[in-house]
Amino acid sequence: MTAKSSAGNTIPRHVAIIMDGNGRWAKKRMWNRLRGHREGAESVDVVTEAARTAGVEYLTLYAFSTENWSRPADEVNGLWALLEEFLEKKREKLVRNRIRLHFIGHLEHLPAGVRKKALEVKRATEEHGWDMTLTLALSYGARDEITCAAREIARMVERGEITANDISESAISAHLFTAGIPDPDLVIRTSGELRVSNFLLWQSAYAEYYFTETLWPDFREKEFLDALRAYAGRHRRFGRTGDQVKE
Ligand code: FPP
């Protein structure tokens, strides 16, 4: 599950982040919320690089939830425009740094141009080898993900391909958007909110959580390394006793 970094710490294989606080960051400066999202996109770039350098293999970012569709149209449109710009600008860097781009969520709900750009950049990053997978959760909600998986599995039962007894935890995992990606070891949420907000509910069953007051646009390399250090100090037991873990 974990590896040792050159710094000697235990590095989580998969880090997932609920990026929160862009709006408050902008409000404090009496700026438009979109300026907060723009600065947040800069944090995405910096944290991606920091994660790759630290030896994290999977970084998953909650960029747009199913609930975010209910925000004002200007903000929603601004976020998609920002994402499209980010993907175009960072394409070469992702390829050069051997970072594969991946998506979870309902990409089919995105504006056509953004979806096209997303798939184009994803393909470009898949052409060569990669050391890290950057997954963006877009139009994503965990309850919806589990519901879709249940529906797919029910259809398999209806078609007689499997029986109800074949439905195992691994069968459910294999039907989630995250199929093939290991469960997160560490989930970070910024901005002082102590909620999981419908993010990777199934996959985070044994994850360590790290909450920080820092607003996402201020969350940069130092803050990310602080989170990794906190993780390295945790004792993960996966339901076992402390003595069993030491053995
Ligand atoms: C939460 O802050 C953040 C979002 C809903 C969007 C996240 C988007 C980015 C970080 C920028 C673009 C993303 C990429 C991948 C380039 P909030 O708006 O809820 O902040 P608030 O709680 O302070 O209002």
Side-chain angles (χ1 to χ4, degrees):
M1 275 273 177
T2 52
K4 296 270 181 187
S5 77
S6 53
N9 295 325
T10 305
I11 299 296
R13 186 173 182 207
H14 182 176
V15 179
I17 309 183
I18 303 171
M19 307 181 290
D20 197 8
N22 295 349
R24 276 162 283 165
W25 185 92
K27 196 173 175 193
K28 277 208 292 194
R29 293 159 177 81
M30 308 229 277
W31 289 344
N32 180 295
R33 293 177 60 82
L34 276 170
R35 279 194 67 181
H37 293 314
R38 185 165 283 283
E39 199 58 29
E42 197 52 38
S43 292
V44 169
D45 184 44
V46 171
V47 168
T48 300
E49 194 157 342
R52 189 191 66 92
T53 305
V56 169
E57 283 181 61
Y58 296 87
L59 176 67
T60 301
L61 304 178
Y62 204 4
F64 195 93
S65 70
T66 45
E67 291 76 22
N68 286 153
W69 285 109
S70 58
R71 293 194 175 198
D74 278 0
E75 183 173 351
V76 171
N77 295 336
L79 272 167
W80 293 131
L82 181 61
L83 177 69
E84 193 171 349
E85 180 189 323
F86 176 89
L87 292 171
E88 183 51 41
K89 268 212 312 239
K90 303 297 171 189
R91 175 200 190 115
E92 288 310 313
K93 187 172 175 186
L94 290 171
V95 171
R96 193 171 60 245
N97 286 346
R98 294 171 55 84
I99 296 170
R100 169 175 71 137
L101 187 63
H102 187 65
F103 299 99
I104 55 173
H106 288 285
L107 237 59
E108 72 276 16
H109 296 164
L110 271 53
V114 184
R115 188 170 65 241
K116 185 163 172 277
K117 176 67 65 193
L119 295 176
E120 187 186 302
V121 178
K122 173 177 153 72
R123 263 194 302 276
T125 63
E126 285 169 346
E127 274 170 15
H128 310 280
W130 56 83
D131 300 321
M132 188 178 92
T133 298
L134 169 64
T135 301
L136 299 183
L138 298 174
S139 196
Y140 173 88
R143 285 187 170 184
D144 164 72
E145 175 184 42
I146 295 167
T147 307
C148 290
R151 219 177 271 139
E152 264 185 53
I153 293 170
R155 288 197 189 104
M156 291 172 77
V157 175
E158 275 174 3
R159 291 195 298 264
E161 293 164 12
I162 57 167
T163 69
N165 283 337
D166 294 324
I167 304 173
S168 59
E169 290 188 6
S170 59
I172 293 174
S173 294
H175 284 87
L176 298 176
F177 289 126
T178 49
I181 298 176
D183 288 342
D185 301 293
L186 171 65
V187 177
I188 299 172
R189 182 171 190 147
T190 60
S191 89
E193 304 293 346
L194 307 179
R195 289 187 294 276
V196 294
S197 298
N198 208 10
F199 186 48
L200 302 178
L201 296 182
W202 173 277
Q203 299 88 335
S204 299
Y206 289 102
E208 293 292 328
Y209 278 89
Y210 177 85
F211 296 101
T212 170
E213 294 286 326
T214 307
L215 304 175
W216 177 249
D218 292 326
F219 192 90
R220 298 291 165 97
E221 187 182 10
K222 180 200 169 292
E223 289 72 21
F224 182 72
L225 295 178
D226 284 348
L228 293 193
R229 245 187 304 280
Y231 172 85
R234 305 267 179 98
H235 300 285
R236 300 183 79 195
R237 290 166 39 172
F238 299 100
R240 291 167 294 168
T241 69
D243 288 343
Q244 283 174 310
V245 173
K246 273 186 225 132
E247 279 164 14

